[in-house]
Amino acid sequence: AQSVTQLGSHVSVSEGALVLLRCNYSSSVPPYLFWYVQYPNQGLQLLLKYTSAATLVKGINGFEAEFKKSETSFHLTKPSAHMSDAAEYFCAVSDGSSASKIIFGSGTRLSIRP
Amino acid sequence: GAVVSQHPSRVICKSGTSVKIECRSLDFQATTMFWYRQFPKQSLMLMATSNEGSKATYEQGVEKDKFLINHASLTLSTLTVTSAHPEDSSFYICSARDDGGDTQYFGPGTRLTVL
């Protein structure tokens, strides 16, 4: 069985500060890992994904995440927060098979202080 | 990029009626589509996996007779909420997996309100 745990349901940072959203996973097979962003009343947009290639994954909007097998983590970071980054962020895992379902974490709401 | 659309974006209906939600992959083929529901301030919960030309696979606890899924073509899956009740009010989101790829693309969601 696969699962993800997002530490912190709400994170607040100042504009220009570092963003760090934590995600730990559990998987019995090599996982595929994803970060999605959701703005209010909208669907999900893929920020980045890890599919067993480079462990440091760069995504859109200046976000990146590092896969650390030893720590079973896939934390999302951005060096400098922007007001437009305020949204809900979901970490997710799948086993990568052709019809695999994605299991989502509980989500972290990111707020940006002016 | 890959685009998934949903229709309608918002629907309000009376209790006891049925509502159909469409999910379309606009520029790619999707043998497999997924349906999720999301309650306010909560995560997405997978309801079912929709497979083109075959029966959907439902997650535990999801009533297949209440949430009818049809995946008649490689670009369209529909979710019909039958005999809707207020507790079915939710945000329903579909996703489509690009055939041969490893990424799911999500639709914009449908807000269902049952009065």
Side-chain angles (χ1 to χ4, degrees):
Chain A
Q2 296 180 302
S3 66
V4 288
T5 301
Q6 291 183 242
L7 300 177
S9 60
H10 183 208
V11 171
S12 178
V13 302
S14 297
E15 188 174 18
L18 171 72
V19 175
L20 171 61
L21 303 183
R22 300 178 185 275
C23 173
N24 288 88
Y25 71 90
S26 173
S27 178
S28 58
V29 298
Y32 281 23
L33 293 160
F34 309 84
W35 274 99
Y36 287 88
V37 62
Q38 184 181 34
Y39 296 98
N41 296 309
Q42 295 187 29
L44 273 66
Q45 181 181 12
L46 179 67
L47 280 177
L48 48 81
K49 62 180 179 181
Y50 166 77
T51 58
S52 75
T55 57
L56 181 62
V57 182
K58 294 186 182 297
I60 62 172
N61 302 339
F63 286 94
E64 63 181 37
E66 185 172 9
F67 173 72
K68 292 186 176 180
K69 184 177 179 179
S70 62
E71 299 178 7
T72 60
S73 69
F74 191 58
H75 302 331
L76 181 71
T77 60
K78 182 174 180 177
S80 178
H82 192 273
M83 295 300 291
S84 61
D85 294 329
E88 189 84 19
Y89 291 80
F90 294 97
C91 181
V93 64
S94 78
D95 65 15
S97 63
S98 61
S100 62
K101 49 191 179 184
I102 289 180
I103 307 300
F104 285 89
S106 55
T108 297
R109 182 165 60 91
L110 176 64
S111 299
I112 310 297
R113 301 188 300 271
Chain B
V3 178
V4 175
S5 69
Q6 280 185 243
H7 178 78
S9 58
R10 184 181 298 267
V11 57
I12 300 172
C13 69
K14 293 181 179 181
S15 184
T17 60
S18 294
V19 174
K20 180 184 286 188
I21 303 171
E22 294 184 348
C23 176
R24 293 182 185 272
S25 57
L26 298 185
D27 50 3
F28 64 98
Q29 294 186 331
T31 301
T32 304
M33 293 184 175
F34 302 86
W35 287 97
Y36 299 82
R37 66 185 300 179
Q38 184 181 31
F39 292 106
K41 301 187 185 301
Q42 294 188 27
S43 188
L44 281 73
M45 299 301 296
L46 180 66
M47 299 174 65
T49 302
S50 170
N51 304 297
E52 188 268 337
S54 65
K55 293 183 178 180
T57 303
Y58 290 82
E59 294 300 302
Q60 189 173 11
V62 178
E63 300 176 58
K64 62 180 181 181
D65 294 330
K66 180 169 185 61
F67 298 100
L68 300 179
I69 291 173
N70 183 276
H71 194 155
S73 78
L74 289 172
T75 59
L76 173 65
S77 175
T78 60
L79 169 69
T80 301
V81 183
T82 62
S83 187
H85 289 91
E87 57 265 32
D88 298 324
S89 298
S90 188
F91 195 51
Y92 292 87
I93 302 176
C94 74
S95 70
R97 186 185 181 101
D98 188 357
D99 284 355
D102 54 23
T103 300
Q104 286 187 28
Y105 299 95
F106 285 79
T110 296
R111 174 76 60 193
L112 171 63
T113 303
V114 184
L115 302 176

